[in-house]
Structures are given as C-alpha cells and as structure tokens.
Amino acid sequence: MTDMQDIPDETPARETGPSPAPTPASTAPPAPASPPISALLEAAADAALPVLRGVRDDQLELPTPCAEYDLRALLNHLFQVVVAFQTLAAKKDVDFSTTPDRLGEYGARWPDRFADETERLVEAWAAPGAEDGLTGGMNLPARTVGAMVLLDLTVHAWDVARATGRPYASPAGCVAELRTLVAQMAPTARKMNVFADPLPVPPGASALDVLLAETGRDPYWTAG
C-alpha cells in the first residue's frame, strides 16, 4: 500500500480575490467513537466462557453449525484462533497450517486454560499501538484483524451453544462492530469459501441472527 505521504497533493491553488463568507459550523453531534477492540473482546469472552464451561465430555463428538467441525474440533480451532491473534496484535507472523489438540493436552483443565488465553488476547489488543498500522499475512488494517478474532469468538460461541443446547447472547456492541466487518469483507470471504452464501431471515430477526445469516449460518440450526 502506498503511504499517504507519497500521494501527490493535487489540491488546486487558491485564487486571489475576496474571501468567501464563512460557512456556519455544523451543530450535529459527532459520531460516537467505536469502542476499543480489546473492550469488545473482553465483552465477547465474558459471553462465551459460560457456554464453553458448560460443555461436557460426552458432548465433544456432537455436530455443530460448522459442518466441517464436530464440537471437539471446533473448540480446538477456537483455541488456536484466540492464541494466534495475540501474536497478530504484536504485528508478528502466525502459522495456521496445523491445529494443536489443546483439549487433549489440557484435559479437564481446558476451560480454565481457554479463559487464561482470552485474558491474554484482551491484553494483547489493549497494548499501545495494537490497533495501529497493518498486520497479518494479507497486511490488513490491525483493527480489522482484531475484529476478525472478535467474529470467531462471537460466532463460534454461538456454534457451541447451539450444539449443546445452551443459551447465548452476544453483547450488542460486538454485533454492531461485526455487522460492519462482515459487510466489508463478505464478498472476498465468500470467494475464499470462508463464508457461505447469505441466508434469508424473517422480519424482526435479532441483530445476532442477521449477522449469523450474513456469514451463511442458519440462525435456527439444530442438531439432526
């Protein structure tokens, strides 16, 4: 990407003559600033952890809304994402070629270890400069990359909840941020088979249901 300082200044030269009348300042209130990604990640983790802590060992082979993952594989994938995106917050490279079996490694302690990793994720994205510049193999804006892990933490928590029959409610601020992300990236994500085609939702559907449908998920999915 070309640096902003490298773009020629093509502002036309000012003509001499009387100065135009000043334009009245706008009285509209400024748009509210977006919350830091770290704050959204903390809220998403707080919503996800009760769902994950409720998973029983006899449920790990259950199907999930992600057809390619049973519940064990989905949890290992989410573990990998939460750990890897700590590194991306520090603008370092990440290897996604393999998915460690952290549930097998940690045994019954895996929910506690996952909680520890979400705390580290929040800390990593709260570090000064974490949202600045570019990061990742595609050199995307760092805030966009932070929103990607927010998407995984939100949507996969819903996947786990649906697979296990537990309630789940994502914080409204997370859903609003993710609707913006999905609108921006969905066309490319669909070409790369990261998202399926969007699904219709009935009038009055919740913002979370609309978000899920935009990623190609059926918000009303049930096992079997």
Side-chain angles (χ1 to χ4, degrees):
M1 177 181 292
T2 304
D3 289 337
M4 291 292 289
Q5 64 187 14
D6 295 331
I7 300 175
D9 185 356
E10 297 180 355
T11 304
R14 176 182 293 179
E15 297 180 0
T16 58
S19 299
T23 302
S26 171
T27 58
S34 298
I37 284 293
S38 58
L40 295 175
L41 287 169
E42 184 172 21
D46 287 344
L49 286 171
V51 176
L52 272 61
R53 289 189 182 279
V55 174
R56 304 189 309 267
D57 288 347
D58 64 349
Q59 295 176 315
L60 292 176
E61 309 308 319
L62 291 175
T64 73
C66 287
E68 67 270 30
Y69 293 131
D70 65 11
L71 189 53
R72 178 188 295 276
L74 180 66
L75 290 168
N76 274 322
H77 166 72
L78 185 55
F79 237 125
Q80 179 190 30
V81 168
V82 166
V83 172
F85 276 72
Q86 298 169 33
T87 302
L88 290 172
K91 310 296 193 295
K92 298 178 181 178
D93 292 335
V94 173
D95 179 11
F96 283 102
S97 61
T98 60
T99 302
D101 180 14
R102 288 188 168 89
L103 267 67
E105 178 182 354
Y106 300 141
R109 296 177 297 119
W110 75 260
D112 291 333
R113 294 299 297 264
F114 186 87
D116 292 343
E117 295 298 349
T118 60
E119 289 184 8
R120 294 187 181 100
L121 180 71
V122 171
E123 291 171 359
W125 284 95
E131 291 191 32
D132 299 336
L134 306 176
T135 190
M138 298 179 67
N139 282 325
L140 293 171
R143 184 176 176 95
T144 298
V145 173
M148 288 177 174
V149 66
L150 178 67
L151 180 65
D152 268 33
L153 189 54
T154 299
V155 171
H156 288 324
W158 176 86
D159 290 332
V160 175
R162 296 301 291 181
T164 59
R166 298 184 64 83
Y168 171 75
S170 177
C174 296
V175 175
E177 179 80 19
L178 295 175
R179 290 288 306 279
T180 300
L181 174 74
V182 170
Q184 172 189 351
M185 304 200 70
T188 300
R190 291 184 186 115
K191 289 179 182 177
M192 298 173 64
N193 295 319
V194 175
F195 291 168
D197 289 335
L199 297 177
V201 292
S206 71
L208 177 58
D209 285 353
V210 173
L211 171 68
L212 295 165
E214 288 171 343
T215 70
R217 280 171 168 76
D218 177 2
Y220 311 106
W221 182 94
T222 57

